[in-house]
Amino acid sequence: MDEIQRQHHTAYVTSAGAEWLASASAFPRSVQALWAARPAAPSVLPCGTAFDVVNLPLLFGRRVLEQLWSAGPGSGPAAVHRGRVLVLAAPGTAHRLPALLEWEEWGRRVPPLLCHGRGDAVTVPPLYDCAPAGGSGPRPETGRSRWVVAPDTRKPWLPRADVLLWACVRAVRQDRPRPVPPAPPLVSTPATS
């Protein structure tokens, strides 16, 4: 897949993906009617039935997504919203992941995560990325919501807590400070024999 196809694929939710997203609501037909009228508007959806959401700081979230794609099966649907990365995860992940991170010795180095599960709701990006062509639209850090990996099937693969745990741990390990070699001396002294 070339870069243009990849951007098109990630920017747009397919009709099957929209059906799946709407299934999170108690009133999926109402959600779909709202999207039909305003496909460029973000929506608020409940968590805990179709998916949970792990909400990560932007830079750390990017490293976690890279780990999921380089060392695993991918991320499933993911988005950027208000300068944070939203990873849609399997239901139950929001409850389990914080406990796993607390138990893992590297977990203390993971930046604070917001885990949204049953009883929570999140804002998801619009079905379509309606930024002006040519990159003149707002950047993700300015608050524009967009899909990084848009939902494209009725049953997308969603990472579970253990998969996200190890992606977080690998991202932290990758980011740990490396020893800096000592600087060479400014003045060299002639060797004495």
Side-chain angles (χ1 to χ4, degrees):
M1 189 179 321
D2 68 7
E3 183 64 18
I4 293 172
Q5 289 174 321
R6 186 189 66 74
Q7 286 177 353
H8 176 77
H9 176 72
T10 60
Y12 299 103
V13 176
T14 65
S15 59
E19 259 185 62
W20 173 73
L21 281 172
S23 75
S25 171
F27 306 101
R29 286 190 204 156
S30 296
V31 171
Q32 289 177 332
L34 175 67
W35 286 338
R38 299 186 62 208
S43 301
V44 176
L45 293 174
C47 299
T49 54
F51 55 84
D52 281 0
V53 173
V54 178
N55 186 329
L56 306 138
L58 188 62
L59 294 175
F60 184 72
R62 180 178 175 171
R63 284 193 293 253
V64 168
L65 288 176
E66 287 171 358
Q67 290 299 320
L68 286 167
W69 282 99
S70 67
S75 67
V80 173
H81 179 68
R82 296 191 182 231
R84 299 204 38 111
V85 174
L86 307 176
V87 178
L88 278 63
T93 299
H95 176 71
R96 191 160 179 243
L97 182 60
L100 289 174
L101 282 168
E102 195 174 304
W103 177 74
E104 174 63 39
E105 68 184 59
W106 286 88
R108 289 182 292 280
R109 298 208 34 221
V110 172
L113 308 178
L114 301 173
C115 296
H116 308 283
R118 187 168 297 280
D120 296 328
V122 294
T123 301
V124 296
L127 297 182
Y128 303 103
D129 186 359
C130 297
S136 61
R139 295 185 313 267
E141 62 271 14
T142 63
R144 182 174 68 91
S145 295
R146 66 180 177 86
W147 289 102
V148 177
V149 179
D152 61 354
T153 67
R154 290 176 198 208
K155 291 195 180 257
W157 179 82
L158 299 172
R160 302 190 76 75
D162 55 339
V163 173
L164 286 168
L165 167 73
W166 293 114
C168 287
V169 168
R170 286 191 305 269
V172 166
R173 286 179 180 165
Q174 177 187 31
D175 193 39
R176 74 178 160 189
R178 291 165 182 78
V180 177
L186 296 176
V187 178
S188 60
T189 56
T192 56
S193 328

